[in-house]
């Protein structure tokens, strides 16, 4: 019995029980506390040690000194103090998520508009090429039709000319005819 009692004293179990009885159920090392809540500080304390970060966080959130105890390696908090720090942490995370969401949405909208503009330019180019090809085709067909009409009219005129009787001018020596 005495040996077990001596071991419990040496390991600090009695101190932990005494602190728990005093109403400090939450225990964290300063390193854990600084890693978990250090980003909540409004000013940068990066080069400082975890103990000063822990104290700065507690002071920034106006947690009264009777609601926590600072040890050499651990920080002891009364009931409800972690909940307020977790609420602040969650608000900070939700704010960061909202900023990220808005930024991603803006980035995606810009990318969409860029792609839409590129697609519109590509469609415009393709439509222009199709219209130029069609115009070229119609132009060739029109020139061919005009050429066919020209040769047809010439052939008709030549046929009409050869089918008409020849009229001679007043002199019999002249073989020129006069259209009648």
């Amino acid at each position: 019995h005495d040996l077990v009692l001596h071991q419990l004293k040496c390991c600090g179990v009695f101190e932990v029980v005494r602190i728990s009885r005093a109403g400090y159920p939450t225990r964290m090392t300063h390193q854990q506390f600084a890693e978990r809540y250090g980003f909540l500080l409004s000013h940068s304390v990066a080069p400082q040690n975890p103990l000063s970060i822990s104290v700065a966080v507690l002071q920034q959130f106006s947690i009264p000194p009777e609601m926590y105890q600072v040890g050499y390696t651990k920080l002891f908090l009364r009931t409800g103090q972690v909940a307020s720090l977790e609420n602040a942490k969650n608000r900070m995370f939700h704010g960061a998520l909202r900023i990220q969401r808005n930024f991603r949405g803006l980035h995606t909208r810009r990318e969409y508009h860029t792609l839409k503009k590129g697609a519109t330019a590509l469609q415009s180019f393709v439509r222009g090429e199709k219209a130029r090809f069609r115009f070229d085709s119609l132009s060739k067909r029109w020139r061919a039709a005009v050429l066919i009409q020209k040769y047809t009219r010439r052939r008709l005129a030549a046929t009409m000319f050869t089918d008409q009787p020849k009229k001679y001018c007043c002199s019999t020596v002249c073989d020129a005819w006069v259209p009648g």
Side-chain angles (χ1 to χ4, degrees), residues 62-99:
S62 303
I63 296 178
E66 61 269 3
M67 299 305 278
Y68 65 89
Q69 288 291 321
V70 179
Y72 289 115
T73 59
K74 288 191 175 183
L75 181 66
F76 303 94
L77 298 165
R78 287 197 188 262
T79 307
Q81 302 311 308
V82 173
S84 65
L85 290 171
E86 285 294 322
N87 287 339
K89 180 180 151 185
N90 287 338
R91 283 194 309 271
M92 182 76 79
F93 278 143
H94 287 299
L97 289 175
R98 187 174 296 125
I99 290 169

Side-chain angles (χ1 to χ4, degrees), residues 13 26 36 41-42 56 66 72 77 92 95 101 112-113 131 138 142 148 150 156 163 167 173:
V13 174
T26 306
R36 188 168 180 96
L41 288 175
S42 58
E66 61 269 3
Y72 289 115
L77 298 165
M92 182 76 79
R101 181 181 66 215
Y112 168 75
H113 287 302
L138 287 176
W142 182 76
I148 291 170
K150 180 175 115 178
L156 282 174
D163 287 348
K167 293 182 182 176
V173 181

